[in-house]
Amino acid sequence: DDKALTSRTHLVSYSLLKLKGGRANSMSIQDYYADLDELFGEIKAETKKGKIDELLSEADEIVGQIKIEIASITNPNEKKEALSKTSSYEKKIQAYKRKALLGPQDDSADGGQKLSSVDKSKQGLAKLNGAREMLAETEEVGTKVLSDLAIQKEVIKRSTKTVHTMAFLQITKLFR
């Protein structure tokens, strides 16, 4: 917890220095990477979804700070290396977010037990069925819209034909 507090303190200090227009010389990109590694350790150990989401949000903020620092790197090789490493951290964050989304943890007071594979399969099936229903509804709406558009097209064609006929009749009356 002390390490987590330290990383959060670094982030807050950095943010305050930036707001005051100063540079956070005490925080290097390597310090941010170390903070991210600590956060990932906390995320792995955490069982409560709410806390995991909070830690992932903090990781996103740190990546944002790293990107700001990368923008000031002038050496192309260093910049490329930093971008590559940061990209791998972003992918890791996305993987944790997917895991948090697709494999929910129990938030009970006893720390919770992991869901059985049968329960996970049932949840996955329920999500798939929900997605299928949404797809069917969307398809139905799309079909209705296309039908309405076809009707409107016919109305426009008839109106255009009527206008042309009336214009033709007006022109023929002028020449009589």
Side-chain angles (χ1 to χ4, degrees):
D1 283 339
D2 289 338
K3 288 182 179 180
L5 181 60
T6 302
S7 72
R8 289 178 187 90
T9 304
H10 284 308
L11 184 61
V12 170
S13 298
Y14 179 81
S15 298
L16 288 174
L17 282 171
K18 279 295 189 183
L19 286 174
K20 292 179 183 176
R23 294 237 348 126
N25 293 329
S26 63
M27 285 293 289
S28 71
I29 291 177
Q30 297 307 319
D31 292 330
Y32 287 120
Y33 290 146
D35 289 348
L36 283 172
D37 289 334
E38 289 175 23
L39 277 175
F40 290 145
E42 289 181 51
I43 291 168
K44 284 181 184 176
E46 188 57 56
T47 58
K48 297 187 182 214
K49 186 175 180 340
K51 180 67 175 172
I52 291 171
D53 291 342
E54 180 183 316
L55 292 170
L56 288 170
S57 176
E58 187 174 333
D60 277 333
E61 289 176 23
I62 292 173
V63 167
Q65 297 299 332
I66 291 171
K67 287 181 176 181
I68 291 170
E69 288 297 316
I70 289 174
S72 66
I73 296 175
T74 56
N75 182 322
N77 291 333
E78 287 180 26
K79 190 173 215 164
K80 183 177 179 181
E81 182 181 329
L83 285 170
S84 174
K85 191 167 186 177
T86 303
S87 175
S88 70
Y89 277 103
E90 287 178 305
K91 288 176 185 171
K92 198 170 187 179
I93 292 169
Q94 291 307 315
Y96 278 120
K97 285 181 179 179
R98 269 192 303 279
K99 185 177 179 183
L101 179 65
L102 298 176
Q105 304 284 328
D106 183 20
D107 279 337
S108 65
D110 65 354
Q113 293 180 332
K114 296 193 180 215
L115 295 174
S116 72
S117 60
V118 172
D119 290 336
K120 286 182 181 180
S121 295
K122 286 180 182 178
Q123 284 183 345
L125 185 59
K127 285 180 184 180
L128 281 174
N129 286 336
R132 282 187 187 133
E133 289 174 14
M134 189 182 306
L135 177 63
E137 290 172 10
T138 304
E139 187 177 3
E140 184 179 318
V141 169
T143 302
K144 181 162 177 18
V145 167
L146 286 174
S147 173
D148 290 347
L149 287 172
I151 291 169
Q152 290 173 2
K153 181 180 177 182
E154 290 303 315
V155 168
I156 290 171
K157 281 182 178 178
R158 282 195 308 267
S159 298
T160 303
K161 188 175 181 180
T162 302
V163 167
H164 284 243
T165 303
M166 295 300 289
F168 179 75
L169 290 175
Q170 290 295 330
I171 291 172
T172 55
K173 277 186 182 179
L174 290 174
F175 291 109
R176 285 193 187 162

